Amino acid sequence: MRRTTGAEAYFTAYRGGCITVIDTTAPLTDSQNPFVPGLETRAHATAHGKALLASLSRTERRRYFAGHGMARLTERTITDEERFEAELAIVRQRGLAVSVGEADPAYACLAVPLPRRPDHVLSASLPLADFQRRRGEISSLLTLAAAAFPAASE
């Protein structure tokens, strides 16, 4: 992803009631990157979080939010449960999650679940200024990368 598009890529998982960014192509010293490896505390506002939360039952999501909340991070962050549920219905229908300035006002991100492994997703982030122009390209490449990802068949 990064070599082809220049966008940073991420591998994220849902385990034990937590969403964790496992790996990223962004250098750990890149202080501008909004997503770093470790526990994701802004899942409701990220594409990778939305993709993972969309795979859970509503009861599991409520349990998740009871422990993690839905803080407003930017003016675009969805914090209303019903609006969020409607967003997740779109994610499930399209197989693609999108966050535009919800976790960080300067970034957009897109995410797709791995085939047969909805508890793992691949995502990419890019500056908001590039998002509209590159959304289709990034979405297509993420879908191809997820289909080819080794963990997909495990």
Side-chain angles (χ1 to χ4, degrees):
M1 281 296 302
R2 185 171 191 214
R3 275 192 306 260
T4 303
T5 68
E8 298 299 349
Y10 309 88
F11 178 57
T12 307
Y14 178 83
R15 292 186 187 142
C18 293
I19 293 174
T20 304
V21 176
I22 296 171
D23 202 5
T24 176
T25 59
L28 295 177
T29 57
D30 181 358
S31 62
Q32 298 299 309
N33 190 298
F35 309 108
V36 296
L39 184 64
E40 178 58 82
T41 59
R42 309 163 298 166
H44 66 292
T46 68
H48 50 264
K50 290 178 185 183
L52 291 165
L53 291 165
S55 71
L56 302 178
S57 71
R58 191 163 186 165
T59 300
E60 289 172 307
R61 276 192 300 281
R62 283 187 172 147
R63 191 175 313 125
Y64 177 86
F65 287 126
H68 299 277
M70 292 178 76
R72 178 167 304 284
L73 304 168
T74 75
E75 64 183 31
R76 294 181 177 186
T77 307
I78 299 171
T79 59
D80 176 77
E81 183 181 343
E82 291 308 312
R83 187 168 164 227
F84 192 75
E85 288 296 326
E87 174 86 2
L88 295 186
I90 294 168
V91 170
R92 286 188 291 273
Q93 178 185 26
R94 293 185 182 160
L96 173 75
V98 180
S99 170
V100 181
E102 292 179 56
D104 183 301
Y107 283 87
C109 56
L110 300 104
V112 296
L114 295 183
R116 298 173 303 281
R117 291 297 303 268
D119 58 338
H120 291 79
V121 299
L122 289 181
S123 62
S125 71
L126 61 160
L128 208 52
D130 297 335
F131 176 71
Q132 289 299 351
R133 178 175 54 83
R134 303 192 62 209
R135 178 181 180 159
E137 168 198 9
I138 302 290
S139 297
S140 295
L141 287 170
L142 270 175
T143 301
L144 289 171
F149 201 81
S153 60
E154 291 178 2

